[in-house]
Amino acid sequence: MSVNQNKQKTLELRELALRDGLQLTQSFPTTEEKIKLISLEYLAGVRYFEVGSFLPAKTFPQFADIGQLIAYVETLEGTHSSALTLNVRALDDALQTQVNEVVISLSATEEHCQANIKRSIESAINLIRLAINKRNNVDGNPLVSCAISVAFGCSIAGHVDPDNVVRIAVQCAEFGAEKIAVADTVGFAGPSQVYALSKRVIREVGDIPVVIHLHDTRGTGIANAYAALEAGVRVFDGTLGGLGGCPFAPGASGNVAFEDLVYLCERSGFPTGIDLPKLFEARQYLAEVLPNETLGGVIAQALPPKNIDWQAHHFLG
């Protein structure tokens, strides 16, 4: 496959280390360390940050400072913050902040939806409509998006019918979702599968931005990202250092590394506005504050080639 250069080239690369990345870590950074990490990424050109989940602080202390992080991101020019909300209480808490986007989580299978958020798919989709109504009555007016987990295969239910994923995506769009993420939560997908489903969802939801959320559990993450890019996806999730993982994929590696996504997009002719050497400084800091975690990704190991302009976008033609 070769990327069609006539396609829209504006990209949105969303960094999720402080949300998805901290789900399974043995420890977590302090608020001051999180703020420094965000500032280092911002200096590297990152503008989209998912900073946590609105969950009970007693049970999930790694997200107890989510309000402070949202407030800090708001001070940085040109940034966009997002946060995960799993229920009405979380939604109400989110709407009391300056968060730019609330993400409603659901799954492509009933089994995973119940295990992950203790809700049915129908109930989670209904939360989108409720979020829209509540959003319209607050000053912040954040976007309301949804994330469809295990869209390419489920560690509990197994095979996932792509027709069902498309149906859920369309329902989310009809209920008012303003972005729709399709997630390979447990790393089952291959490039052809990602290309086909991404293409279908984009076609069915019209002008609503489609997000691809990939995990590198079985080493196909960056190949799947290119397949999504070729299919027309222009919004990508990743975590610095590939930090993260899914509780329903024991022993699995984390998300696709954000640094690898940057390199892929640049070499595919899509400017990201992100400076990789400066991003590596943020990665190094992440390694320092989480010394017991193994970071993933390959670009940080080999580094961009020094004898060519790796950010040149004219080489495709």
Side-chain angles (χ1 to χ4, degrees), residues 9 31 90 98 109 114 122 125 127 133 137 176 184 190 270 316:
K9 293 195 174 187
T31 302
Q98 296 174 293
T109 68
Q114 291 288 352
E122 181 181 2
I125 294 175
L127 190 58
N133 290 336
N137 292 312
D184 184 23
F270 290 79
L316 288 176

Side-chain angles (χ1 to χ4, degrees), residues 41-295:
E41 292 188 272
Y42 181 77
L43 289 173
V46 181
R47 294 296 181 265
Y48 295 86
F49 300 92
E50 190 156 290
V51 295
S53 298
F54 282 93
L55 291 165
K58 183 177 180 180
T59 311
F60 299 92
Q62 65 268 51
F63 301 131
D65 54 5
I66 186 171
Q68 293 168 264
L69 300 183
I70 290 168
Y72 176 70
V73 172
E74 186 68 17
T75 69
L76 303 174
E77 184 178 357
T79 55
H80 182 93
S81 64
S82 63
L84 198 65
T85 56
L86 304 182
N87 52 44
V88 177
R89 180 176 178 178
L91 180 60
D92 288 339
D93 288 344
L95 293 176
Q96 296 301 311
T97 72
Q98 296 174 293
V99 71
N100 301 126
E101 181 179 340
V102 293
V103 183
I104 309 297
S105 178
L106 63 151
S107 303
T109 68
E110 290 291 350
E111 294 90 339
H112 189 274
C113 211
Q114 291 288 352
N116 193 38
I117 63 172
K118 297 180 174 57
R119 302 174 75 91
S120 68
I121 295 174
E122 181 181 2
S123 174
I125 294 175
N126 281 326
L127 190 58
I128 295 171
R129 178 178 288 167
L130 178 62
I132 294 289
N133 290 336
K134 285 178 172 288
R135 186 276 310 275
N136 290 342
N137 292 312
V138 298
D139 293 334
N141 202 34
L143 291 174
V144 174
S145 65
C146 69
I148 307 172
S149 299
V150 297
F152 299 93
C154 177
S155 56
I156 302 171
H159 173 72
V160 174
D161 186 344
D163 290 344
N164 194 46
V165 179
V166 174
R167 179 187 61 79
I168 292 171
V170 169
Q171 280 187 284
C172 290
E174 290 173 346
F175 275 47
E178 292 158 312
K179 284 183 186 174
I180 296 174
V182 181
D184 184 23
T185 313
V186 289
F188 278 20
S192 295
Q193 187 183 12
V194 170
Y195 177 85
L197 185 57
S198 297
K199 199 82 172 172
R200 287 187 63 188
V201 173
I202 289 170
R203 181 174 65 246
E204 293 298 327
V205 302
D207 294 333
I208 298 173
V210 173
V211 185
I212 194 76
H213 178 105
L214 300 168
H215 285 238
D216 200 32
T217 311
R218 293 168 178 82
T220 58
I222 207 67
N224 290 341
Y226 184 75
L229 192 64
E230 171 68 6
V233 173
R234 295 295 177 262
V235 189
F236 292 82
D237 288 347
T239 61
L240 193 64
L243 190 68
C246 175
F248 300 101
S253 57
N255 298 56
V256 65
F258 191 76
E259 314 90 280
D260 292 1
L261 276 176
V262 172
Y263 186 79
L264 170 73
C265 292
E266 293 282 354
R267 294 303 286 166
S268 299
F270 290 79
T272 66
I274 296 173
D275 184 319
L276 264 184
K278 289 184 178 179
L279 191 62
F280 294 153
E281 294 177 18
R283 177 191 166 105
Q284 179 57 41
Y285 182 71
L286 181 64
E288 291 172 7
V289 299
L290 293 175
N292 296 320
E293 300 299 324
T294 300
L295 301 186

